[in-house]
Amino acid sequence: MRLEVSGPVRLPPACPGLRVGLYGGSFNPAHLGHRHVSRVALRRLGLDRIWWMVTPGNPLKDRTNLASIDARVAAAQAIAAHPRITVTAFESRIGAQYTRQSLRYLTARHPSVRFVWIMGADSLATFHRWAGFREIAATMPIAIIDRPGFTLKGPAARAAHALGRWRIDESDADLLPDLDPPAWVFLHGPRSHLSSTALRAKG
């Protein structure tokens, strides 16, 4: 599917060799759990930056209660509050509907940046349903951050089995950004119980 770029696209600053974690989602709303995941990734993977990619909407989720992208970006910026975390909504500018399109765009624009795709273990459980999940895995290394209730479910998921031979040991996590894909790691440790769904339910 060809992307239809709408107006100028501003990406966060980057330079060759920079180790950048990409953390995508609806952020509806952003919360301290997102910040926790990012801090874990920065430390354990030896990243220089993390970009929060606020999506127009998740194709696998109901968009009925989705706040405007401007509101979600503003809230995410307030929650992130970290010098190495940048919030971007470039996907809405390039007309991306699926993660694989966004990652393809970024690697074409910045071929020398060492990107890592970051997601929670709850997302790994449904990763096999994502459009082109194998292409995503072949585009850049992936870091999975443990989530409550998914410590065992995540690594047992269909996508985890399909990509099993490319999983690296957790003790080598800091090597991940420099590995050629496919490569992925599952990071255990303190877990955040916060979720956007629960926060919306509290209203």
Side-chain angles (χ1 to χ4, degrees):
M1 183 181 294
R2 186 183 181 88
L3 294 176
E4 295 184 8
V5 179
S6 173
V9 179
R10 290 186 179 180
L11 294 175
C15 61
L18 200 71
R19 294 153 70 99
V20 177
L22 302 175
Y23 190 19
S26 300
F27 293 93
N28 188 44
H31 52 73
L32 291 176
H34 294 126
R35 194 171 189 271
H36 167 76
V37 165
S38 301
R39 287 169 62 89
V40 168
L42 282 167
R43 183 178 71 254
R44 299 283 300 278
L45 303 174
L47 299 176
D48 299 304
R49 299 283 188 276
I50 286 190
W51 298 356
W52 285 9
M53 293 165 43
V54 181
T55 68
N58 187 330
L60 298 177
K61 293 183 179 179
D62 181 9
R63 303 190 190 190
T64 304
N65 297 314
L66 192 64
S68 73
I69 196 161
D70 289 341
R72 287 182 284 130
V73 166
Q77 289 172 332
I79 288 290
H82 193 287
R84 291 196 283 158
I85 300 175
T86 303
V87 181
T88 175
F90 79 90
E91 289 176 292
S92 62
R93 284 289 190 184
I94 66 173
Q97 297 182 44
Y98 303 107
T99 297
R100 62 179 177 177
Q101 296 172 302
S102 304
L103 304 193
R104 202 183 298 153
Y105 178 86
L106 287 176
T107 53
R109 289 282 294 268
H110 292 297
S112 299
V113 170
R114 307 303 293 179
F115 288 115
V116 175
W117 180 249
I118 298 168
M119 61 184 183
D122 51 334
S123 294
L124 178 60
T126 59
F127 192 37
H128 64 278
R129 297 176 55 202
W130 292 28
F133 82 91
R134 292 179 185 274
E135 180 184 340
I136 294 171
T139 301
M140 62 184 61
I142 299 173
I144 311 296
I145 313 297
D146 198 6
R147 291 275 291 152
F150 291 90
T151 304
L152 299 178
K153 289 180 183 177
R158 285 176 56 182
H161 280 294
L163 302 171
R165 60 178 163 152
W166 293 293
R167 180 179 177 179
I168 69 169
D169 191 87
E170 192 171 356
S171 62
D172 293 325
D174 61 336
L175 302 177
L176 187 72
D178 295 319
L179 296 180
D180 292 329
W184 66 284
V185 68
F186 191 102
L187 298 179
H188 297 85
R191 295 164 295 179
S192 171
H193 289 266
L194 292 171
S195 77
S196 297
T197 301
L199 290 173
R200 289 197 305 274
K202 290 181 179 179

